[in-house]
Amino acid sequence: MGTLRKIKRAIRGEVKLTVAALEVLRRTRASWRQRNERSSLDREDQLNLRSPVRQTKFFLNETGDDPELLALADQLIHQEFEWNRDPRSGYLWPLDYHRDIKLMRSDGSDIRVVWELNRLAHFITLGRVYKLTKDEKFTVAFMDQLRSWCEQNPYGRGPNWQCAMEVALRAVNLIAAREMFRESTQVNTQLLLRLFQQHGNYISRNLEFSYIATSNHYLSDVAGLLWIGVMVPELRDADAWRSFGLKEMLREMDKQVLPDGADFESSTGYHRFVTELFLYSFVLCRDNGIEIEAKHWSKLHAMLLYIRGYLRPDGFAPLIGDTDGGQFLPLQPRRADDHRYLLEVAAELLNDSALREPETGSKAFPHAGIYIMRHEDLYLCFNASGAGINGRGSHGHNDALSIEVSARGRAFIVDPGTYVYTGDLQRRHDFRSTAYHSTVKIDGVEQNTIEPDMPFVIGDEARPRVLLWETAKDTDKIVSEHYGYRRLRHPVTHRRTVIFNKQEASWLVEDEFLGDAVDHDVEVRFHFAPGLNVTTDKTNIEISDPDTNLTLTVGSLSLSNSPALEHQFTSRDYGEMRESITACWRFSGPPRKLSWKLSL
C-alpha cells in the first residue's frame, strides 16, 4: 500500500492539523524504534528482577467439579502444537521480523485463527483442573507446551509477535495459568518470569496508539501492562507498567465507552470483550488495593446494564457489527452470541444480584443507536448505530435501520454475524454488506462505502438519526432515517418507522424514500434465522418452527411483485456459518411509501 493511501486510510474524517502533526511525529518515532528493535532482535535481554516483592491477590479461586472441564483437560495434555501453522489452510507462517509479516495473503490463511490458539487460553483450563485434582500431569503438560511455544516463537519473530494486543491477551492468560499452578513444584518460575518480561517489553515498545483514534487494540495493550505490573511484581519495570497501564486504561474508558454504557465501536461482540476487560481488571485492582474512582465503576455498571438491555428473551445477544468471539481472560469458552454469563459473573464479583434480573421493558440507548422494543417474550431490536469510533469505524456494518425480531423464545429475524475477517475477503464483505441485513438497498449502493481490499475500513455516509422514540404501556414507536444514499446522483433519504402493538403482538414497519420523483432500484430484505421453515405467496411470508410462527404481510398495495427467497448465510461464531433464507422485494420506480406487518 502506497504512503498516500496509508495516510488517507488512517486520517479519514475531520482531523485537526495539530492532531495530524502529532500523528506524523509519532509514526516517525515509531519507525526509528522499529529499526533499532530489528537490529537488536536476537540479543537476549537480561532478566531484571527486584526484591522485596509485594504480595498479590487473584480473584479466581473457585474450581468446581466440572466433568466437561476434566475431559477437555485430559484431551489437551496429549496434544502437540505447531503454533505457527494455520489449521485451516495448512499455511506455516514464517519466523520473520514481526513488522515484515503480511497478514492478508488471499490464499485462505487466516491469522485470526492462529492468534486464537496462541493466546494460550487452554492453559487456564489445565490450571483449573490442576487446582482441583493436584495431579502433576497437568503441570507437566503445561510446562512442556510452554517450552515448545517458546522454541517455535522466538522473541519478536513470527505472527505471534506481530500484534501487541495478542501479546497482551496471551500475557493475561499466562498470568491466570501461573496462579492456578502456584502450588506445583514442577513450574519453571524463571521461564515464566522471562516470558512476562518479554511480553511487557514488547507491548510497551509496540503500543497500538494513535492520536487520531484508538480502539480495543490499544485498550488491550494497556490492560496487559496493568496485569503484568500488578501480578508480576518480581520484575523491575512492574510498577511503571502498572501505573501507565491503569492511567491509560481509565483514559480509554472515558473515550471508548459512551454515556449510555455502550462501547463506541458499534459492535455488541466487542462490547462483550471490553466489558470483560474492564470488569476483570477493576476487580484485580480492587483486590490488590489499587483505587479506582467511583465514576469509572459507574461506567462499568452502565456497560453491564447495556448488555442486560439488548439481550433477547432467549438470553442470547444480537450480533450487531463485527463479532470474532474473542474474550478477555476466557475462563470458559463461550459462543459469540452468549453474553448473559457476564451478568452472572459480574453479579458474583461485584455482589450485585440485581444484574441477574432480566430486562422487562423497552429500552433506548441513544448514544449507541440501539432501541429495544420489549413486552413479555416479544422483542425487536432497532439498529440506528453509526460506523463506530466517532465515524472512523472498523468493526461497524452496513446495517442502518435494520431490525432483529424474537418471539415465543425463538429468534426469527436476525443480524447475520461476521463469519471471517482476512481469511475470505469476499465473505467478509458479504456479511457486513447492506444486502445481508434487514434493511433497504437503493441503486445497488452500499449505505457506507467499502473498499474491497480493506477489511477493517468502512465509510460514514449513513449517519443514522432518530427523529422520534416513544414507549408506552400498549405501544412503542420509533422513527429514524439515514443519509447513506444522499450521495446518489438523485439523492434519497431512507426513513423507517416501526410501531409495536404490544396487545396485538405485532410490528408495523414503514419505509419512506424522500427525494426527487425519479426512478430508483429498491431492494428491501428481511434476513431470517437458520433452521426456520419459510414459505411465501404474493402477499404473505410464513416463518415457522415446530412451536410457533411469524407472518410477514405486505401492507403496500402498490407493491404487486412477489418476494424472492434468497439463500444467504448466518454466522453465530467466528469461522462458522449456516444457510439461512432472506426475503427480498425488488421494484424500480419513483420513491414511494412501503409497509410490512409482522404478527404472531
Side-chain angles (χ1 to χ4, degrees):
M1 186 185 298
T3 302
L4 180 59
R5 196 173 179 198
K6 284 184 179 180
I7 294 173
K8 288 177 66 177
R9 173 180 174 176
I11 306 178
R12 55 192 191 274
E14 295 182 5
V15 178
K16 294 180 180 178
L17 287 176
T18 53
V19 173
L22 286 171
E23 180 63 15
V24 170
L25 180 60
R26 183 197 68 81
R27 292 183 177 219
T28 301
R29 289 173 174 170
S31 180
W32 178 85
R33 285 195 301 269
Q34 289 163 20
R35 286 196 297 271
N36 185 58
E37 180 186 54
R38 186 193 297 268
S39 65
S40 61
L41 195 61
D42 296 321
R43 186 174 66 235
E44 188 170 352
D45 289 341
Q46 181 180 353
L47 184 58
N48 293 309
L49 303 178
R50 66 174 185 179
S51 61
V53 176
R54 54 182 164 77
Q55 294 297 308
T56 61
K57 294 181 180 179
F58 187 55
F59 57 86
L60 182 61
N61 292 314
E62 65 85 22
T63 52
D65 189 3
D66 184 344
E68 291 186 5
L69 192 71
L70 291 168
L72 177 59
D74 274 325
Q75 293 177 14
L76 289 171
I77 64 175
H78 299 297
Q79 289 191 14
E80 295 184 2
F81 296 94
E82 276 191 284
W83 300 102
N84 296 309
R85 188 177 294 281
D86 183 337
R88 294 186 177 179
S89 68
Y91 177 68
L92 183 64
W93 291 83
L95 293 180
D96 297 338
Y97 173 59
H98 62 91
R99 291 289 176 184
D100 293 341
I101 293 177
K102 296 180 180 179
L103 299 183
M104 289 191 293
R105 296 180 41 79
S106 302
D107 62 356
S109 57
D110 190 339
I111 192 61
R112 176 66 184 81
V113 176
V114 176
W115 280 348
E116 184 65 37
L117 170 65
N118 285 272
R119 290 179 181 180
L120 306 182
H122 71 281
F123 287 166
I124 300 176
T125 300
L126 294 178
R128 292 180 69 187
V129 172
Y130 168 78
K131 193 165 185 177
L132 176 67
T133 65
K134 298 299 186 291
D135 191 331
E136 292 293 345
K137 70 181 182 182
F138 297 108
T139 319
V140 171
F142 167 50
M143 293 311 305
D144 285 347
Q145 290 180 19
L146 188 59
R147 289 188 190 94
S148 81
W149 188 91
C150 293
E151 290 169 0
Q152 295 180 40
N153 292 275
Y155 177 80
R157 296 190 180 278
N160 298 312
W161 292 104
Q162 201 275 343
C163 174
M165 175 184 182
E166 296 302 319
V167 177
L169 296 179
R170 181 166 59 243
V172 171
N173 293 337
L174 283 172
I175 286 169
R178 184 179 79 155
E179 293 303 311
M180 297 294 98
F181 285 108
R182 269 205 181 273
E183 297 178 23
S184 175
T185 59
Q186 301 295 317
V187 171
N188 186 330
T189 301
Q190 291 294 107
L191 174 62
L192 279 168
L193 288 175
R194 184 170 296 281
L195 265 179
F196 288 132
Q197 179 173 284
Q198 288 179 339
H199 280 60
N201 285 337
Y202 180 90
I203 298 166
S204 62
R205 295 167 182 167
N206 295 275
L207 290 167
E208 295 165 280
F209 174 82
S210 167
Y211 286 101
I212 297 169
T214 51
S215 68
N216 68 86
H217 274 247
Y218 182 63
L219 181 58
S220 299
D221 299 348
V222 297
L225 289 177
L226 170 66
W227 277 68
I228 298 172
V230 172
M231 295 303 295
V232 195
E234 300 96 323
L235 298 178
R236 182 196 62 188
D237 294 322
D239 286 350
W241 290 339
R242 179 182 67 175
S243 176
F244 176 80
L246 178 61
K247 179 188 71 174
E248 290 298 296
M249 186 180 71
L250 297 179
R251 181 182 295 176
E252 290 302 307
M253 181 181 231
D254 291 337
K255 289 167 54 179
Q256 297 191 30
V257 180
L258 302 173
D260 52 19
D263 175 64
F264 79 154
E265 295 196 61
S266 294
S267 158
T268 53
Y270 281 93
H271 179 83
R272 181 184 79 168
F273 174 80
V274 299
T275 303
E276 281 184 322
L277 184 153
F278 285 123
L279 173 63
Y280 297 147
S281 298
F282 279 25
V283 172
L284 182 80
C285 289
R286 181 196 66 188
D287 291 353
N288 285 276
I290 301 170
E291 185 177 353
I292 292 175
E293 290 185 64
K295 68 175 185 178
H296 291 114
W297 284 101
S298 294
K299 270 210 166 183
L300 172 59
H301 189 252
M303 297 179 78
L304 294 162
L305 292 182
Y306 179 52
I307 292 175
R308 191 175 76 174
Y310 66 59
L311 287 180
R312 300 193 306 249
D314 64 3
F316 292 101
L319 294 181
I320 297 167
D322 277 348
T323 300
D324 69 357
Q327 292 180 254
F328 185 89
L329 190 63
L331 307 177
Q332 182 176 330
R334 301 282 181 175
R335 269 174 47 175
D337 60 353
D338 181 2
H339 297 194
R340 180 172 52 184
Y341 73 93
L342 202 44
L343 299 177
E344 293 286 340
V345 171
E348 182 70 25
L349 292 175
L350 304 180
N351 192 27
D352 185 356
S353 60
L355 291 172
R356 294 191 174 95
E357 299 170 7
E359 192 61 71
T360 57
S362 299
K363 286 285 183 181
F365 300 94
H367 297 278
I370 299 299
Y371 294 79
I372 307 297
M373 297 177 169
R374 187 192 304 268
H375 178 67
E376 296 177 348
D377 64 353
L378 306 176
Y379 168 101
L380 182 143
C381 174
F382 187 93
N383 185 348
S385 61
I389 315 184
N390 303 321
R392 296 184 177 86
S394 57
H395 291 302
H397 287 186
N398 280 331
D399 50 15
L401 314 192
S402 65
I403 61 172
E404 278 217 14
V405 174
S406 173
R408 309 291 189 252
R410 181 69 161 91
F412 282 93
I413 297 175
V414 297
D415 189 290
T418 298
Y419 181 48
V420 293
Y421 288 158
T422 61
D424 186 333
L425 286 183
Q426 184 56 55
R427 288 291 189 198
R428 161 64 170 159
H429 294 310
D430 287 345
F431 273 81
R432 65 175 182 159
S433 69
T434 308
Y436 255 60
H437 293 86
S438 300
T439 186
V440 176
K441 189 172 185 178
I442 300 179
D443 292 345
V445 173
E446 292 288 342
Q447 294 175 340
N448 298 296
T449 51
I450 287 176
E451 297 188 51
D453 62 341
M454 293 186 176
F456 298 108
V457 173
I458 192 168
D460 187 35
E461 292 85 4
R463 298 176 182 256
R465 184 165 70 101
V466 173
L467 306 178
L468 175 70
W469 164 254
E470 294 177 341
T471 180
K473 179 182 178 182
D474 296 325
T475 306
D476 292 343
K477 182 177 182 180
I478 189 167
V479 182
S480 181
E481 63 187 26
H482 80 81
Y483 312 106
Y485 303 127
R486 298 293 296 172
R487 68 188 193 275
L488 295 175
R489 181 181 177 187
H490 297 285
V492 177
T493 295
H494 174 209
R495 179 178 294 172
R496 172 167 279 187
T497 300
V498 177
I499 301 172
F500 177 27
N501 188 317
K502 300 175 185 179
Q503 302 309 313
E504 286 188 2
S506 68
W507 294 269
L508 177 65
V509 180
E510 297 180 331
D511 288 307
E512 297 176 79
F513 307 99
L514 311 178
D516 296 336
V518 298
D519 288 356
H520 291 278
D521 296 326
V522 177
E523 303 168 33
V524 186
R525 286 181 172 83
F526 295 91
H527 191 114
F528 304 123
L532 292 167
N533 183 42
V534 181
T535 58
T536 183
D537 58 26
K538 195 168 187 178
T539 58
N540 295 321
I541 292 181
E542 291 287 337
I543 314 106
S544 61
D545 71 359
D547 299 318
T548 189
N549 66 284
L550 184 74
T551 302
L552 177 59
T553 304
V554 178
S556 306
L557 296 177
S558 60
L559 193 60
S560 58
N561 52 323
S562 300
L565 297 184
E566 301 176 341
H567 290 274
Q568 293 184 336
F569 296 93
T570 299
S571 175
R572 299 295 90 184
D573 271 309
Y574 190 84
E576 171 269 345
M577 65 179 179
R578 296 173 61 191
E579 287 191 4
S580 54
I581 299 294
T582 297
C584 178
W585 280 268
R586 292 181 174 88
F587 77 89
S588 296
R592 68 184 84 169
K593 187 174 182 177
L594 306 175
S595 66
W596 289 265
K597 187 175 183 179
L598 293 155
S599 55
L600 292 163

